[in-house]
Amino acid sequence: MLAKVLSSALIGIDALLVDVEVDLAPGLPAFATVGLPDGAVKESKDRVKAALKNSGYDFPARRITANLAPADIKKEGAAFDLPISIGILAATGVVKTPRLREYLLLGELSLDGGLKAIRGALSMAVAAKRAGLAGVILPAENASEAAVVEGIDIIAATALSQVVEFLNGRDGIDPFAVDLQSLFTSGCEYGEDFSEVKGQEHAKRALEVAASGGHNILMIGPPGSGKTMLARRIPTILPRMSFDEAIETTKIFSVSGMLESGRALLAARPFRSPHHTISDVGLIGGGTTPKPGEVSLAHNGVLFLDELPEFKKNVLEVLRQPLEDGRVTISRSLLTLTYPSRVMLVAAMNPCPCGYLADPVHPCVCTPLAIHRYRSRISGPLLDRIDIHIEVPAVTYRDLSDRGEAESSRDIAERVARSRKRQAERYQGTRVHCNAQMTPRFIKKFCELDSAGSRMLELVTDRLGFSARTYNRIIKVARTIADLSDSEQIREEHIAEAIQYRSLDRKAP
């Protein structure tokens, strides 16, 4: 007796349809699972056996073989519990087969037959829609997440017996539905605002430029100057995520098992702030079975690295390729996965080990050699990939005691949105979304400098010995400043402001 049930397996942030074939053959009772199952899938036989018995169904005393096809793709997780158990019941005639090929079945079983949440429900629902299936049957905890995908029925179940009754046509479960517009508008609220930041007008301007062009930024300042406070408010001035961006970001959190229970869609841009003790695998992703790292979890949002020189050098160096390409490729012997990592990098550091270099109040106790060693922990190639370097000095008492209301995030966000709109119109039909992503071909086409600005850039580049990458990044930042000024041509004042945002290069001898 043979039965076939449809399920799904995760490959990166996408999902692949899996045929769960269950065969009952005469012989000594045994249960074998084949098709490259991991440990959790192999252990499903014990959960399935207990769940069937405790739900009131007979467990066949036969030789049971469960094949997960295609057999050359590794299967992991407990989502195959439900399709395997339904396959056994279909092979014994308890479940009628006509509706089995219309639905994708997903779910982990508890020993009493209840259904537990799984990872990657959103990606699997997308795969079901792409395959033209009628719907997905999955645990109720994952229903809101999967219901984001329109055009298929999401059947939310709480127990194995409920799934059996539905497939046999004796229990009509209404498809689960969500209000996408409500989810999208209610989930994009932030708790912080730039109006809470006292002083630091120069830093706020630099952050506005960075947000407008999608530029990476490094803030240098003494402890307590507000670097972290400023960084946490950057998502509040970034443009709102599109629906496609929200889906892509939610898929990453879903396959990582980090999507909050009952949360259907991530409409707010993610802000990730890993500790400086993180490993290169934790930051980029990987492992025996590759998982997304922090740089992918921050996709379409902000990756904040506080105390940048305290990160291990090998950890920082692996950031170079993701920052340049907007994706992370992880290769293993069995498979190669690519995770998206289009992030805005925001980093913060002290000017020296003690933190008080050039501070007018606190004396610096660091030697020139110690300062050099401290700053050399960040390599030149990585600094070249950070478009904006700004100094964030200590806040004065006058600024702290000022009772006036500072400019709000909404006001800044409006200017950022206008700038991004100009960029979207400029790069329409290309793979470039913002100024920071421009290649040399686009720089030549869209970055026209006036004569005064060209002379200034030539003089500064020769005197400070800027690399070709630094030269291009100054032009990109100047292009963003010009967009904020509603200017099509890059003028001298735009170049001058862009050069100010290379503070580490300006200190070069």
Side-chain angles (χ1 to χ4, degrees), residues 247-422:
I247 288 287
E248 195 172 30
T249 303
T250 306
K251 284 168 69 174
I252 297 172
F253 277 76
S254 178
V255 301
S256 304
M258 299 179 62
L259 195 63
E260 298 176 13
S261 179
R263 189 77 176 269
L265 192 67
L266 293 177
R269 293 192 179 273
F271 180 90
R272 304 295 298 177
S273 179
H275 193 261
H276 59 76
T277 56
I278 193 172
S279 66
D280 52 352
V281 172
L283 186 63
I284 296 300
T288 307
T289 303
K291 296 286 192 303
E294 289 290 337
V295 71
S296 295
L297 291 169
H299 179 59
N300 290 324
V302 174
L303 176 66
F304 178 49
L305 302 183
D306 201 3
E307 304 295 343
L308 186 65
E310 301 300 331
F311 284 79
K312 299 183 182 69
K313 194 159 189 175
N314 67 302
V315 173
L316 292 179
E317 292 308 301
V318 296
L319 272 176
R320 286 157 58 174
Q321 181 257 337
L323 289 179
E324 203 74 20
D325 299 339
R327 61 182 183 273
V328 175
T329 301
I330 303 170
S331 298
R332 295 293 181 265
S333 57
L334 293 178
L335 79 166
T336 297
L337 297 178
T338 298
Y339 292 114
S341 60
R342 195 167 58 248
V343 302
M344 177 180 171
L345 175 66
V346 180
M349 61 178 283
N350 294 330
C352 64
C354 78
Y356 295 109
L357 179 67
D359 190 280
V361 178
H362 301 87
C364 175
V365 297
C366 304
T367 63
L369 180 60
I371 295 172
H372 174 73
R373 285 176 177 171
Y374 179 74
R375 295 193 174 186
S376 64
R377 295 178 190 175
I378 310 168
S379 68
L382 179 61
L383 278 178
D384 269 356
R385 285 170 171 81
I386 301 177
D387 302 354
I388 298 176
H389 315 151
I390 57 162
E391 295 179 0
V392 184
V395 184
T396 64
Y397 173 77
R398 176 179 294 178
D399 289 330
L400 287 174
S401 60
D402 184 10
R403 296 292 181 180
E405 190 71 18
E407 193 174 31
S408 69
S409 292
R410 176 175 291 185
D411 296 333
I412 302 174
E414 287 177 357
R415 296 195 295 269
V416 170
R418 286 197 300 270
S419 173
R420 284 289 183 108
K421 185 178 179 181
R422 288 176 66 96

Side-chain angles (χ1 to χ4, degrees), residues 16 55 118 129 176 281 402-403 408 413 425 430 447 479:
L16 172 77
S55 298
I118 59 168
K129 180 181 179 180
F176 192 91
V281 172
D402 184 10
R403 296 292 181 180
S408 69
E425 293 171 353
T430 71
C447 298
R479 174 71 271 168

Side-chain angles (χ1 to χ4, degrees), residues 419-440:
S419 173
R420 284 289 183 108
K421 185 178 179 181
R422 288 176 66 96
Q423 295 169 50
E425 293 171 353
R426 179 184 302 134
Y427 307 124
Q428 190 173 11
T430 71
R431 300 182 66 180
V432 175
H433 300 91
C434 57
N435 291 333
Q437 299 173 1
M438 279 194 295
T439 61

Side-chain angles (χ1 to χ4, degrees), residues 40-235:
V41 180
K42 290 178 180 178
E43 291 173 351
S44 66
K45 61 183 180 180
D46 297 314
R47 292 191 296 271
V48 167
K49 184 176 182 179
L52 286 174
K53 287 185 174 180
N54 291 327
S55 298
Y57 304 108
D58 292 329
F59 187 80
R62 302 283 189 91
R63 182 176 181 80
I64 304 172
T65 303
N67 177 44
L68 310 178
D72 58 343
I73 301 294
K74 188 168 184 178
K75 321 299 185 308
E76 62 170 352
F80 295 102
D81 290 2
L82 179 62
I84 290 174
S85 61
I86 293 297
I88 292 173
L89 293 176
T92 57
V94 175
V95 172
K96 305 298 184 291
T97 56
R99 303 181 77 176
L100 276 182
R101 304 300 291 179
E102 299 176 7
Y103 289 91
L104 197 70
L105 273 67
L106 309 163
E108 177 184 348
L109 287 174
S110 60
L111 298 186
D112 63 357
L115 289 179
K116 293 184 175 180
I118 59 168
R119 292 187 296 110
L122 176 57
S123 299
M124 295 173 181
V126 171
K129 180 181 179 180
R130 193 180 300 124
L133 299 179
V136 181
I137 302 174
L138 77 176
E141 292 180 54
N142 297 112
S144 58
E145 171 190 348
V148 171
V149 181
E150 298 177 308
I152 58 172
D153 292 339
I154 303 301
I155 307 301
T158 57
L160 172 62
S161 58
Q162 192 178 8
V163 177
V164 172
E165 294 299 305
F166 174 80
L167 291 172
N168 286 335
R170 293 195 293 266
D171 183 8
I173 305 175
D174 293 331
F176 192 91
V178 294
D179 185 351
L180 282 180
Q181 187 60 36
S182 175
L183 285 174
F184 204 58
T185 53
S186 63
C188 60
E189 298 173 355
Y190 300 94
E192 295 93 3
D193 195 278
F194 265 102
S195 62
E196 302 161 351
V197 181
K198 301 293 185 181
Q200 302 297 9
E201 298 305 323
H202 176 65
K204 289 179 185 178
R205 168 64 179 178
L207 292 176
E208 179 181 337
V209 172
S212 297
H215 302 288
N216 302 323
I217 184 169
L218 171 63
M219 295 181 284
I220 307 141
S225 58
K227 302 184 294 294
T228 302
M229 189 177 187
L230 287 164
R232 289 193 176 277
R233 283 152 180 78
I234 293 176

Side-chain angles (χ1 to χ4, degrees), residues 422-488:
R422 288 176 66 96
Q423 295 169 50
E425 293 171 353
R426 179 184 302 134
Y427 307 124
Q428 190 173 11
T430 71
R431 300 182 66 180
V432 175
H433 300 91
C434 57
N435 291 333
Q437 299 173 1
M438 279 194 295
T439 61
R441 179 169 64 90
F442 285 99
I443 292 175
K444 184 177 181 180
K445 183 177 180 180
F446 296 116
C447 298
E448 180 187 351
L449 279 66
D450 65 5
S451 56
S454 182
R455 285 195 303 272
M456 171 182 281
L457 187 56
E458 179 185 3
L459 177 65
V460 172
T461 300
D462 290 341
R463 180 170 295 179
L464 296 183
F466 286 161
S467 68
R469 183 181 284 119
T470 301
Y471 169 84
N472 284 338
R473 293 193 182 279
I474 289 176
I475 294 180
K476 290 179 185 180
V477 173
R479 174 71 271 168
T480 302
I481 296 169
D483 288 338
L484 284 168
S485 303
D486 294 326
S487 172
E488 196 57 41

